[in-house]
Amino acid sequence: QVQLVQSGAEVKKPGASVKVSCKASGYTFTSYYIYWFRQAPGQGLEWMGLINPSGGDTFYAQKFQGQAGVSLTMDTSTSTVYMELRSLRSEDTALYYCARGVELAGRTSNFDSWGQGTLVTVSS
Amino acid sequence: DIQMSQSPSSLSASVGDRVTITCRASESIYNYLNWYQQKPGHAPRLLMYVASHLQSGVPSRFGGSGSGTDFTLTISSVQPEDFATYYCQQSYRTPVTFGQGTRLEIK
């Protein structure tokens, strides 16, 4: 069955970077985009960016662009996507999720499988 | 960005009740609307896609309708395992955006 398994919880100091992994299994890795979301404590879901495992093209939400933002990379040999978030601040404390994007009629329609979430805590 | 707003933000229901949650988009999203269920400590679970299509494995007591800017998620007879938070999400335009969530609580 389709599974996305994320790396474990992280505690980081302000200004540091964090790298979270998302390992896919149960389907053809290169056939589905992987999206990243985050959810601050008690809050809703916020899209951060996406990567196309077929070629590695990435696209980021405006908020996460730039040097102090997010970077998505992948390793097709292990079907793993990585999300690195730089220049961490306390406001980045959140659960981070990867999700598989399902295409319908040529566009991403929905997210049918999600990782279990990775808690990133930013604290001095 | 397209803004999604849900109502109510929370509601109480008893087992067996019929429950309706509403989602409104700030502009027309046609039928590019999905619904998710999230329980504490768990990732979101896709319930409905393209407004009215039931995701595989989701009980038939869940139903969705709407198009344009106004959408609804209905649970025909709430079961104990349905108490959770529900989110709508638009996929018409990037960035994808979610509603703020509706918390369904036991009365």
Side-chain angles (χ1 to χ4, degrees):
Chain A
Q1 75 281 20
V2 175
Q3 270 196 306
L4 299 174
V5 178
Q6 298 181 222
S7 50
E10 302 265 11
V11 179
K12 296 291 183 180
K13 294 192 181 302
S17 298
V18 68
K19 195 168 188 177
V20 178
S21 66
C22 171
K23 182 174 175 60
S25 62
Y27 70 97
T28 302
F29 178 64
T30 53
S31 295
Y32 295 83
Y33 287 28
I34 293 291
Y35 284 65
W36 284 84
F37 301 90
R38 74 178 184 183
Q39 188 171 36
Q43 302 300 308
L45 293 150
E46 179 180 33
W47 173 63
M48 302 175 67
L50 66 89
I51 186 167
N52 179 0
S54 177
D57 291 342
T58 55
F59 187 66
Y60 303 107
Q62 188 170 21
K63 175 178 180 177
F64 296 100
Q65 294 177 6
Q67 288 191 334
V70 67
S71 177
L72 300 180
T73 57
M74 66 179 191
D75 181 347
T76 53
S77 68
T78 60
S79 301
T80 302
V81 172
Y82 299 92
M83 186 282 296
E84 183 177 26
L85 188 58
R86 300 175 291 271
S87 302
L88 290 166
R89 303 177 299 176
S90 59
E91 308 90 273
D92 294 317
T93 294
L95 265 169
Y96 289 78
Y97 292 103
C98 60
R100 187 178 83 158
V102 175
E103 275 206 10
L104 290 175
R107 70 166 75 204
T108 295
S109 168
N110 59 77
F111 307 103
D112 70 338
S113 294
W114 294 66
Q116 81 276 21
T118 296
L119 179 62
V120 175
T121 303
V122 183
S123 174
S124 55
Chain B
D1 298 359
I2 296 176
Q3 306 302 314
M4 306 299 293
S5 60
Q6 292 180 228
S7 62
S9 56
S10 66
L11 75 157
S12 298
S14 299
V15 173
D17 284 353
R18 181 182 181 88
V19 164
T20 298
I21 299 169
T22 298
C23 177
R24 175 165 288 177
S26 59
E27 61 183 89
S28 176
I29 58 171
Y30 299 88
N31 62 350
Y32 291 96
L33 189 283
N34 308 308
W35 289 98
Y36 298 84
Q37 175 194 68
Q38 188 177 33
K39 297 181 179 179
H42 289 81
R45 171 197 181 195
L46 178 66
L47 298 177
M48 310 290 304
Y49 62 97
V50 196
S52 60
H53 290 75
L54 193 67
Q55 173 70 354
S56 175
V58 174
S60 58
R61 62 181 178 272
F62 289 91
S65 65
S67 66
T69 60
D70 295 314
F71 302 86
T72 59
L73 174 71
T74 300
I75 309 173
S76 60
S77 176
V78 173
Q79 298 303 300
E81 60 268 30
D82 300 338
F83 293 98
T85 299
Y86 293 84
Y87 293 95
C88 62
Q89 172 250 321
Q90 67 83 18
S91 58
Y92 177 65
R93 181 177 300 145
T94 300
V96 298
T97 47
F98 292 81
Q100 81 282 10
T102 295
R103 185 175 177 182
L104 176 58
E105 299 173 321
I106 302 173
K107 184 180 287 185

CSV table of all heavy atoms in Angstrom, one decimal, chain A residues 28-58:
chain,number,residue,atom,x,y,z
A,28,THR,N,4.9,4.0,-7.8
A,28,THR,CA,6.0,4.5,-8.7
A,28,THR,C,6.3,5.9,-8.2
A,28,THR,O,5.5,6.9,-8.5
A,28,THR,CB,5.6,4.5,-10.2
A,28,THR,OG1,5.3,3.1,-10.5
A,28,THR,CG2,6.8,4.9,-11.0
A,29,PHE,N,7.5,6.1,-7.6
A,29,PHE,CA,7.9,7.4,-7.0
A,29,PHE,C,7.8,8.5,-8.0
A,29,PHE,O,7.4,9.6,-7.6
A,29,PHE,CB,9.3,7.2,-6.4
A,29,PHE,CG,9.9,8.4,-5.8
A,29,PHE,CD1,9.3,9.0,-4.7
A,29,PHE,CD2,11.0,9.0,-6.4
A,29,PHE,CE1,9.9,10.1,-4.1
A,29,PHE,CE2,11.6,10.1,-5.8
A,29,PHE,CZ,11.0,10.7,-4.7
A,30,THR,N,8.2,8.3,-9.2
A,30,THR,CA,8.3,9.4,-10.2
A,30,THR,C,7.0,9.8,-10.8
A,30,THR,O,6.9,10.7,-11.6
A,30,THR,CB,9.3,9.1,-11.3
A,30,THR,OG1,8.9,7.8,-11.8
A,30,THR,CG2,10.7,9.0,-10.7
A,31,SER,N,5.9,9.1,-10.4
A,31,SER,CA,4.6,9.4,-11.1
A,31,SER,C,3.7,10.4,-10.3
A,31,SER,O,2.7,10.8,-10.8
A,31,SER,CB,3.8,8.1,-11.2
A,31,SER,OG,4.5,7.2,-12.1
A,32,TYR,N,4.1,10.8,-9.1
A,32,TYR,CA,3.3,11.7,-8.3
A,32,TYR,C,4.2,12.8,-7.7
A,32,TYR,O,5.2,12.6,-7.2
A,32,TYR,CB,2.6,11.0,-7.2
A,32,TYR,CG,1.6,9.9,-7.6
A,32,TYR,CD1,2.0,8.7,-8.0
A,32,TYR,CD2,0.2,10.2,-7.7
A,32,TYR,CE1,1.1,7.7,-8.4
A,32,TYR,CE2,-0.7,9.3,-8.1
A,32,TYR,CZ,-0.2,8.0,-8.4
A,32,TYR,OH,-1.2,7.1,-8.8
A,33,TYR,N,3.7,14.1,-7.8
A,33,TYR,CA,4.3,15.2,-7.1
A,33,TYR,C,4.2,14.9,-5.6
A,33,TYR,O,3.3,14.3,-5.1
A,33,TYR,CB,3.6,16.5,-7.4
A,33,TYR,CG,3.8,17.0,-8.8
A,33,TYR,CD1,4.1,16.2,-9.9
A,33,TYR,CD2,3.7,18.4,-9.0
A,33,TYR,CE1,4.3,16.8,-11.2
A,33,TYR,CE2,3.9,18.9,-10.3
A,33,TYR,CZ,4.2,18.1,-11.4
A,33,TYR,OH,4.4,18.7,-12.6
A,34,ILE,N,5.2,15.4,-4.9
A,34,ILE,CA,5.2,15.4,-3.4
A,34,ILE,C,5.1,16.9,-3.0
A,34,ILE,O,5.8,17.8,-3.4
A,34,ILE,CB,6.4,14.8,-2.8
A,34,ILE,CG1,6.4,13.3,-3.1
A,34,ILE,CG2,6.5,15.0,-1.3
A,34,ILE,CD1,5.4,12.5,-2.4
A,35,TYR,N,4.1,17.2,-2.1
A,35,TYR,CA,3.8,18.5,-1.6
A,35,TYR,C,4.2,18.5,-0.1
A,35,TYR,O,4.2,17.4,0.6
A,35,TYR,CB,2.3,18.8,-1.6
A,35,TYR,CG,1.8,19.2,-3.0
A,35,TYR,CD1,1.9,18.3,-4.1
A,35,TYR,CD2,1.4,20.5,-3.2
A,35,TYR,CE1,1.4,18.7,-5.3
A,35,TYR,CE2,0.9,20.9,-4.5
A,35,TYR,CZ,0.9,20.0,-5.5
A,35,TYR,OH,0.5,20.4,-6.8
A,36,TRP,N,4.6,19.6,0.4
A,36,TRP,CA,4.9,19.8,1.8
A,36,TRP,C,4.0,20.9,2.4
A,36,TRP,O,3.7,21.9,1.8
A,36,TRP,CB,6.3,20.2,2.0
A,36,TRP,CG,7.3,19.1,1.9
A,36,TRP,CD1,7.8,18.6,0.7
A,36,TRP,CD2,7.8,18.2,2.9
A,36,TRP,NE1,8.6,17.5,0.9
A,36,TRP,CE2,8.6,17.2,2.2
A,36,TRP,CE3,7.6,18.2,4.3
A,36,TRP,CZ2,9.3,16.2,3.0
A,36,TRP,CZ3,8.3,17.2,5.0
A,36,TRP,CH2,9.1,16.2,4.3
A,37,PHE,N,3.5,20.6,3.6
A,37,PHE,CA,2.6,21.4,4.3
A,37,PHE,C,3.1,21.6,5.8
A,37,PHE,O,3.9,20.7,6.2
A,37,PHE,CB,1.2,20.9,4.4
A,37,PHE,CG,0.5,20.6,3.1
A,37,PHE,CD1,0.7,19.4,2.4
A,37,PHE,CD2,-0.2,21.6,2.4
A,37,PHE,CE1,0.1,19.2,1.2
A,37,PHE,CE2,-0.8,21.4,1.2
A,37,PHE,CZ,-0.6,20.2,0.6
A,38,ARG,N,2.6,22.6,6.5
A,38,ARG,CA,2.9,22.7,7.9
A,38,ARG,C,1.7,23.1,8.6
A,38,ARG,O,0.8,23.7,8.1
A,38,ARG,CB,4.1,23.6,8.2
A,38,ARG,CG,3.8,25.0,8.1
A,38,ARG,CD,5.1,25.8,8.5
A,38,ARG,NE,4.9,27.2,8.5
A,38,ARG,CZ,5.9,28.1,8.7
A,38,ARG,NH1,7.1,27.7,9.0
A,38,ARG,NH2,5.6,29.4,8.7
A,39,GLN,N,1.7,22.7,9.9
A,39,GLN,CA,0.5,23.0,10.8
A,39,GLN,C,1.0,23.5,12.1
A,39,GLN,O,1.6,22.7,12.9
A,39,GLN,CB,-0.4,21.8,10.9
A,39,GLN,CG,-1.7,22.0,11.6
A,39,GLN,CD,-2.6,20.8,11.5
A,39,GLN,OE1,-2.2,19.7,11.5
A,39,GLN,NE2,-3.9,21.1,11.3
A,40,ALA,N,0.9,24.8,12.4
A,40,ALA,CA,1.4,25.3,13.7
A,40,ALA,C,0.4,24.8,14.8
A,40,ALA,O,-0.7,24.4,14.4
A,40,ALA,CB,1.4,26.8,13.6
A,41,PRO,N,0.8,24.7,16.0
A,41,PRO,CA,0.0,24.2,17.1
A,41,PRO,C,-1.4,24.8,17.1
A,41,PRO,O,-1.5,26.1,17.2
A,41,PRO,CB,0.8,24.6,18.3
A,41,PRO,CG,2.2,24.6,17.9
A,41,PRO,CD,2.2,25.2,16.5
A,42,GLY,N,-2.4,24.0,17.0
A,42,GLY,CA,-3.8,24.5,17.1
A,42,GLY,C,-4.3,25.2,15.8
A,42,GLY,O,-5.4,25.8,15.9
A,43,GLN,N,-3.5,25.2,14.8
A,43,GLN,CA,-3.8,26.0,13.6
A,43,GLN,C,-4.1,25.1,12.4
A,43,GLN,O,-4.1,23.9,12.5
A,43,GLN,CB,-2.6,26.9,13.2
A,43,GLN,CG,-2.2,27.8,14.4
A,43,GLN,CD,-3.3,28.8,14.7
A,43,GLN,OE1,-3.9,29.5,13.9
A,43,GLN,NE2,-3.6,28.8,16.0
A,44,GLY,N,-4.4,25.8,11.3
A,44,GLY,CA,-4.8,25.1,10.1
A,44,GLY,C,-3.5,24.7,9.2
A,44,GLY,O,-2.4,24.8,9.7
A,45,LEU,N,-3.8,24.3,8.0
A,45,LEU,CA,-2.7,23.7,7.1
A,45,LEU,C,-2.3,24.8,6.1
A,45,LEU,O,-3.1,25.5,5.5
A,45,LEU,CB,-3.3,22.5,6.4
A,45,LEU,CG,-3.6,21.4,7.3
A,45,LEU,CD1,-4.7,20.5,6.7
A,45,LEU,CD2,-2.3,20.5,7.4
A,46,GLU,N,-1.0,24.9,6.0
A,46,GLU,CA,-0.3,25.9,5.1
A,46,GLU,C,0.6,25.1,4.1
A,46,GLU,O,1.5,24.4,4.5
A,46,GLU,CB,0.5,26.8,6.0
A,46,GLU,CG,1.2,27.9,5.2
A,46,GLU,CD,2.0,28.8,6.1
A,46,GLU,OE1,2.5,28.4,7.2
A,46,GLU,OE2,2.1,30.0,5.7
A,47,TRP,N,0.4,25.4,2.8
A,47,TRP,CA,1.2,24.8,1.8
A,47,TRP,C,2.6,25.5,1.7
A,47,TRP,O,2.6,26.8,1.7
A,47,TRP,CB,0.5,24.9,0.4
A,47,TRP,CG,1.4,24.4,-0.7
A,47,TRP,CD1,2.0,23.2,-0.9
A,47,TRP,CD2,1.9,25.2,-1.7
A,47,TRP,NE1,2.7,23.2,-2.0
A,47,TRP,CE2,2.7,24.4,-2.5
A,47,TRP,CE3,1.8,26.6,-2.1
A,47,TRP,CZ2,3.4,24.9,-3.7
A,47,TRP,CZ3,2.4,27.0,-3.3
A,47,TRP,CH2,3.2,26.2,-4.0
A,48,MET,N,3.7,24.7,1.6
A,48,MET,CA,5.0,25.3,1.6
A,48,MET,C,5.6,25.2,0.2
A,48,MET,O,6.3,26.1,-0.3
A,48,MET,CB,5.9,24.6,2.6
A,48,MET,CG,5.4,24.6,4.0
A,48,MET,SD,6.4,23.7,5.1
A,48,MET,CE,8.0,24.6,5.1
A,49,GLY,N,5.5,24.0,-0.4
A,49,GLY,CA,6.1,23.9,-1.7
A,49,GLY,C,5.9,22.5,-2.3
A,49,GLY,O,5.2,21.6,-1.6
A,50,LEU,N,6.4,22.2,-3.5
A,50,LEU,CA,6.2,20.9,-4.1
A,50,LEU,C,7.4,20.6,-4.9
A,50,LEU,O,8.2,21.4,-5.3
A,50,LEU,CB,5.0,20.9,-5.0
A,50,LEU,CG,5.0,21.9,-6.3
A,50,LEU,CD1,5.5,21.1,-7.5
A,50,LEU,CD2,3.6,22.3,-6.6
A,51,ILE,N,7.6,19.3,-5.2
A,51,ILE,CA,8.6,18.8,-6.0
A,51,ILE,C,8.1,17.7,-6.9
A,51,ILE,O,7.2,16.9,-6.5
A,51,ILE,CB,9.8,18.2,-5.2
A,51,ILE,CG1,11.0,17.9,-6.1
A,51,ILE,CG2,9.4,17.1,-4.3
A,51,ILE,CD1,12.3,17.6,-5.3
A,52,ASN,N,8.5,17.8,-8.2
A,52,ASN,CA,8.2,16.8,-9.1
A,52,ASN,C,9.3,15.7,-9.2
A,52,ASN,O,10.4,16.0,-9.7
A,52,ASN,CB,8.0,17.4,-10.5
A,52,ASN,CG,7.6,16.4,-11.6
A,52,ASN,OD1,7.5,15.2,-11.3
A,52,ASN,ND2,7.5,16.9,-12.8
A,53,PRO,N,9.0,14.5,-8.6
A,53,PRO,CA,10.1,13.5,-8.6
A,53,PRO,C,10.6,13.1,-10.0
A,53,PRO,O,11.6,12.5,-10.1
A,53,PRO,CB,9.4,12.4,-7.8
A,53,PRO,CG,8.4,13.0,-7.0
A,53,PRO,CD,7.8,14.1,-7.9
A,54,SER,N,9.8,13.4,-11.0
A,54,SER,CA,10.2,13.1,-12.4
A,54,SER,C,11.0,14.3,-12.9
A,54,SER,O,10.4,15.2,-13.6
A,54,SER,CB,9.0,12.7,-13.2
A,54,SER,OG,9.4,12.5,-14.6
A,55,GLY,N,12.2,14.4,-12.6
A,55,GLY,CA,13.0,15.6,-13.0
A,55,GLY,C,13.5,16.5,-11.9
A,55,GLY,O,14.5,17.2,-12.1
A,56,GLY,N,12.8,16.6,-10.8
A,56,GLY,CA,13.2,17.4,-9.7
A,56,GLY,C,12.8,18.8,-9.7
A,56,GLY,O,13.2,19.6,-8.8
A,57,ASP,N,11.9,19.2,-10.6
A,57,ASP,CA,11.4,20.6,-10.6
A,57,ASP,C,10.7,20.9,-9.3
A,57,ASP,O,10.0,20.1,-8.7
A,57,ASP,CB,10.4,20.8,-11.7
A,57,ASP,CG,11.1,20.8,-13.1
A,57,ASP,OD1,12.4,20.9,-13.2
A,57,ASP,OD2,10.4,20.6,-14.1
A,58,THR,N,10.9,22.1,-8.8
A,58,THR,CA,10.4,22.5,-7.5
A,58,THR,C,9.6,23.8,-7.7
A,58,THR,O,9.8,24.6,-8.7
A,58,THR,CB,11.4,22.8,-6.5
A,58,THR,OG1,12.4,23.7,-7.0
A,58,THR,CG2,12.1,21.5,-6.1
